[in-house]
Amino acid sequence: MTQEPYSPRCYALVPAAGVGERSGAGRPKQYVDIAGRPMLAHTLAALAAVPRLVQTLVVLSPGDDRFEAALPDYAGWIARVGGASRAESVLGGLAELRRRGAGDDDWVLVHDAARCLLRPAWVDALIDACLGDAVGGLLAQPIADTLKAGDADDRVTATIDRRDKWAAQTPQMFRLGLVERALLLMGAAATDEASAVEALGLAPRLVRASMANFKVTWPEDFELAERCLRA
Ligand code: CTP
Ligand code: MG
């Protein structure tokens, strides 16, 4: 009997356990309606349109009492294992993926719930670029604007050479075993998976996406996201 060679699977993991403080929405921003649907519904629809993702796991905060009412049609996995930081929420999600059968060599694409303008084609480009890569990588965008450092009074303190600078986005795609080890070592200080992987001395691949893959963060971002989604 011949055994099929094991081919790693790709999972999506969506941290959605934040409170959205900067958004000023007065409730977790992932549940704010944009173009007629909760932000999180747009995010999950984009991931569901990527056939190579075998499953999506949404990480909710332990006290979340909105998900089922806000997304009644969602058929993927959820787990109320969110933590105090994004990194802790992702770690909770990785442990849950293991409980559900994922292993060290499987790929995990971690994607912010708040990046609701994600397009399936960008996810495909990331998967294409990373499947054969020893480290993994992330969607990112080269910085076009001149970069300034500012002080507490909003005064410029320096102009920073932008030529080698990229804005990191999500999804960020790494093997489960690697990203879990990296996040455990770096702890809550890791604001994304790539920085934790970098701290291990590895160089994730930058995969160019689009400015349109922005993270809804500030109050005015909801309107911009709405216009993009309706266009
Ligand atoms: N997130 C999470 N668990 C946390 C913090 C954040 O799952 N403890 C998630 C958010 O729900 C979001 C993503 O990580 O989808 C990116 O975080 P961010 O945009 O900073 O969202 P919030 O932390 O909710 O917003 P803020 O920082 O303004 O409070
Ligand atoms: Mg945050």
Side-chain angles (χ1 to χ4, degrees), residues 10 45-55 120-121 123-124 127:
C10 295
L47 292 169
V50 179
R52 280 184 288 178
L53 293 173
V54 294
Q55 189 54 269
V123 183
D124 277 322
I127 294 173

Short mmCIF file of all heavy atoms in Angstrom, two decimals, residues 10 45-55 120-121 123-124 127:
data_model
loop_
_atom_site.label_atom_id
_atom_site.label_comp_id
_atom_site.label_asym_id
_atom_site.label_seq_id
_atom_site.Cartn_x
_atom_site.Cartn_y
_atom_site.Cartn_z
N CYS A 10 -3.34 24.65 5.08
CA CYS A 10 -3.34 26.07 5.40
C CYS A 10 -4.61 26.41 6.19
O CYS A 10 -5.72 26.16 5.71
CB CYS A 10 -3.32 26.94 4.15
SG CYS A 10 -1.83 26.80 3.16
N ALA A 45 -15.78 36.64 4.97
CA ALA A 45 -16.22 36.31 3.61
C ALA A 45 -15.02 36.26 2.66
O ALA A 45 -14.95 35.40 1.78
CB ALA A 45 -17.25 37.34 3.12
N ALA A 46 -14.08 37.18 2.83
CA ALA A 46 -12.89 37.18 1.97
C ALA A 46 -12.08 35.90 2.18
O ALA A 46 -11.61 35.27 1.23
CB ALA A 46 -12.03 38.41 2.24
N LEU A 47 -11.92 35.49 3.44
CA LEU A 47 -11.15 34.27 3.71
C LEU A 47 -11.88 33.03 3.19
O LEU A 47 -11.26 32.09 2.68
CB LEU A 47 -10.88 34.15 5.23
CG LEU A 47 -9.93 35.22 5.78
CD1 LEU A 47 -9.94 35.20 7.31
CD2 LEU A 47 -8.50 35.02 5.26
N ALA A 48 -13.21 33.04 3.30
CA ALA A 48 -13.99 31.88 2.85
C ALA A 48 -13.90 31.71 1.33
O ALA A 48 -14.18 30.63 0.81
CB ALA A 48 -15.45 32.05 3.27
N ALA A 49 -13.50 32.77 0.63
CA ALA A 49 -13.39 32.70 -0.83
C ALA A 49 -12.01 32.24 -1.29
O ALA A 49 -11.69 32.33 -2.48
CB ALA A 49 -13.72 34.07 -1.43
N VAL A 50 -11.19 31.75 -0.36
CA VAL A 50 -9.86 31.23 -0.71
C VAL A 50 -9.88 29.72 -0.53
O VAL A 50 -9.79 29.21 0.58
CB VAL A 50 -8.77 31.86 0.20
CG1 VAL A 50 -7.40 31.30 -0.16
CG2 VAL A 50 -8.79 33.38 0.09
N PRO A 51 -10.00 28.96 -1.63
CA PRO A 51 -10.18 27.51 -1.52
C PRO A 51 -9.03 26.79 -0.80
O PRO A 51 -9.25 25.75 -0.18
CB PRO A 51 -10.30 27.05 -2.97
CG PRO A 51 -10.73 28.25 -3.73
CD PRO A 51 -10.13 29.42 -3.03
N ARG A 52 -7.82 27.33 -0.89
CA ARG A 52 -6.69 26.63 -0.25
C ARG A 52 -6.69 26.73 1.27
O ARG A 52 -5.89 26.05 1.92
CB ARG A 52 -5.37 27.12 -0.83
CG ARG A 52 -5.06 26.48 -2.19
CD ARG A 52 -3.72 26.90 -2.71
NE ARG A 52 -3.73 28.29 -3.16
CZ ARG A 52 -2.66 28.94 -3.64
NH1 ARG A 52 -1.49 28.32 -3.69
NH2 ARG A 52 -2.75 30.19 -4.05
N LEU A 53 -7.55 27.59 1.84
CA LEU A 53 -7.67 27.63 3.30
C LEU A 53 -8.66 26.54 3.72
O LEU A 53 -9.84 26.61 3.37
CB LEU A 53 -8.16 29.01 3.76
CG LEU A 53 -7.19 30.16 3.54
CD1 LEU A 53 -7.85 31.49 3.88
CD2 LEU A 53 -5.92 29.96 4.36
N VAL A 54 -8.17 25.52 4.44
CA VAL A 54 -9.05 24.40 4.76
C VAL A 54 -10.07 24.76 5.83
O VAL A 54 -11.16 24.18 5.88
CB VAL A 54 -8.28 23.14 5.21
CG1 VAL A 54 -7.45 22.59 4.06
CG2 VAL A 54 -7.41 23.41 6.43
N GLN A 55 -9.72 25.72 6.69
CA GLN A 55 -10.64 26.10 7.76
C GLN A 55 -10.22 27.44 8.33
O GLN A 55 -9.05 27.81 8.28
CB GLN A 55 -10.63 25.02 8.87
CG GLN A 55 -11.68 25.16 9.93
CD GLN A 55 -13.11 25.25 9.41
OE1 GLN A 55 -13.62 26.35 9.17
NE2 GLN A 55 -13.75 24.11 9.21
N PRO A 120 -9.40 38.09 -1.73
CA PRO A 120 -8.89 36.72 -1.88
C PRO A 120 -7.62 36.65 -2.74
O PRO A 120 -6.73 35.85 -2.46
CB PRO A 120 -10.06 35.98 -2.55
CG PRO A 120 -11.27 36.73 -2.09
CD PRO A 120 -10.85 38.17 -2.00
N ALA A 121 -7.51 37.50 -3.76
CA ALA A 121 -6.33 37.45 -4.63
C ALA A 121 -5.04 37.75 -3.86
O ALA A 121 -3.98 37.20 -4.17
CB ALA A 121 -6.49 38.44 -5.79
N VAL A 123 -4.54 37.04 -0.69
CA VAL A 123 -4.27 35.85 0.12
C VAL A 123 -3.62 34.77 -0.75
O VAL A 123 -2.65 34.12 -0.35
CB VAL A 123 -5.56 35.31 0.78
CG1 VAL A 123 -5.25 34.12 1.68
CG2 VAL A 123 -6.26 36.41 1.57
N ASP A 124 -4.13 34.62 -1.96
CA ASP A 124 -3.54 33.66 -2.89
C ASP A 124 -2.08 34.01 -3.20
O ASP A 124 -1.23 33.12 -3.27
CB ASP A 124 -4.35 33.59 -4.20
CG ASP A 124 -5.56 32.68 -4.07
OD1 ASP A 124 -5.42 31.63 -3.41
OD2 ASP A 124 -6.62 33.01 -4.60
N ILE A 127 0.01 32.95 -0.24
CA ILE A 127 0.18 31.50 -0.19
C ILE A 127 1.18 31.05 -1.26
O ILE A 127 2.09 30.25 -0.99
CB ILE A 127 -1.18 30.78 -0.33
CG1 ILE A 127 -2.07 31.08 0.87
CG2 ILE A 127 -0.98 29.27 -0.48
CD1 ILE A 127 -3.50 30.55 0.75
#
